[in-house]
């Protein structure tokens, strides 16, 4: 019986790699960076809860005890050195404690670790284009293509409205990847929540970010910088595949 439950659970479990109705939390992480972001969020949530409960409690207590009918003669005390030192030093210490994991994550996100593959993504009004310049066909062409959102009437059952594109970005798992981001016309932003990536695409400027995807899957993202009327209609689809699958995809692209 236990086995049956376990098997049913294992086979019915699926990752949350897309937003869900009434979702409050994060999507499941697929990169170490996104795991770090979620952990930092949980760490901060602890401090937020403790502080807001303490402050609300103090406020309620003050309103209750110092209301005129209960405390008709006002106190003449104007300051107390000890309490002022305590309420200055304690928040400073809390901020110091928060700064340590925050900075380590910030610098981890900034680090580009000897990437194996570089992919260039360019934002346009209103689609993304991608270039894989590490490879060349026999004719000397590199791989580049455009990625447009699928219109609603072309969707088949099981596809996601406003999120599917005609050409996915195919990326191998367990590989250090550099993503170079730019724009051709106005500001865009290349963002994929499950991967913990949000990188501004600025015309005339190259921004870079790194990716290390830990599991296979399809990850959805959207342009995250207001870029005009079709800002909401230029999604990003990342298809994370095994390295052999990636190699065959690349060789197909080079031949075709
Ligand atoms: Cu492109 Cu918003």
């Amino acid at each position: 019986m236990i086995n049956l439950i376990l098997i049913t659970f294992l086979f019915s479990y699926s990752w949350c790699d897309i937003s869900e109705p009434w979702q409050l939390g994060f999507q499941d992480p697929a990169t170490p960076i996104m795991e770090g972001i979620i952990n930092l969020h949980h760490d901060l949530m602890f401090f937020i809860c403790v502080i807001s409960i303490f402050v609300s409690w103090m406020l309620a207590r003050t309103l209750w005890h110092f209301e005129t009918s209960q405390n008709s003669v006002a106190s003449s005390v104007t300051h107390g050195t000890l309490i002022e030192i305590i309420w200055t030093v304690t928040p400073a210490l809390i901020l110091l404690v928060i700064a340590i994991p925050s900075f380590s994550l910030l610098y981890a996100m900034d680090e580009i670790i000897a990437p194996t593959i570089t992919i260039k993504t360019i934002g346009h009004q209103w689609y993304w284009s991608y270039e894989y310049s590490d490879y060349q066909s026999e004719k000397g062409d590199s791989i580049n293509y455009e990625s447009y959102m699928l219109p609603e009437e072309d969707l088949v059952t099981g596809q996601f409205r406003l999120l599917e594109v005609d050409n996915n970005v195919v990326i191998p798992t367990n590989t250090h990847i550099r993503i170079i981001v730019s724009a051709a016309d106005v500001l865009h932003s290349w963002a994929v929540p499950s991967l913990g990536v949000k990188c501004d695409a600025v015309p005339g400027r190259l921004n870079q970010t790194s990716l290390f995807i830990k599991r296979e899957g399809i990850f959805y993202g959207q342009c995250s910088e207001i870029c005009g009327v079709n800002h909401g209609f230029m999604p990003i689809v990342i298809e994370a595949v095994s390295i052999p699958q990636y190699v065959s995809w690349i060789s197909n692209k080079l031949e075709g």
Side-chain angles (χ1 to χ4, degrees), residues 123-128 185-190 201 222-228 230-234:
H124 305 259
Q125 277 175 318
W126 288 275
Y127 62 95
W128 292 96
D185 32 49
V186 298
L187 291 174
H188 300 269
S189 179
W190 198 80
Q222 287 173 303
C223 179
S224 298
E225 179 71 62
I226 302 288
C227 56
N230 287 341
H231 160 66
F233 311 109
M234 49 180 299

Side-chain angles (χ1 to χ4, degrees), residues 113-118 134-135 174-178:
I113 310 150
T116 318
I117 298 165
T118 301
D134 293 334
Y135 318 99
N174 298 316
T175 310
H176 286 287
I177 295 154
R178 167 168 47 201

Side-chain angles (χ1 to χ4, degrees), residues 36-52:
I37 292 173
I38 292 174
N39 286 333
L40 180 72
H41 168 268
H42 292 349
D43 288 350
L44 295 185
M45 214 52 182
F46 169 76
F47 292 100
I48 291 170
C49 292
V50 171
I51 292 167
S52 40

Side-chain angles (χ1 to χ4, degrees), residues 57-71:
W57 173 78
M58 264 201 323
L59 191 63
R61 226 180 119 79
T62 311
L63 287 172
W64 177 254
H65 286 288
F66 295 90
E67 193 258 326
T68 17
S69 64
Q70 306 211 42
N71 186 57

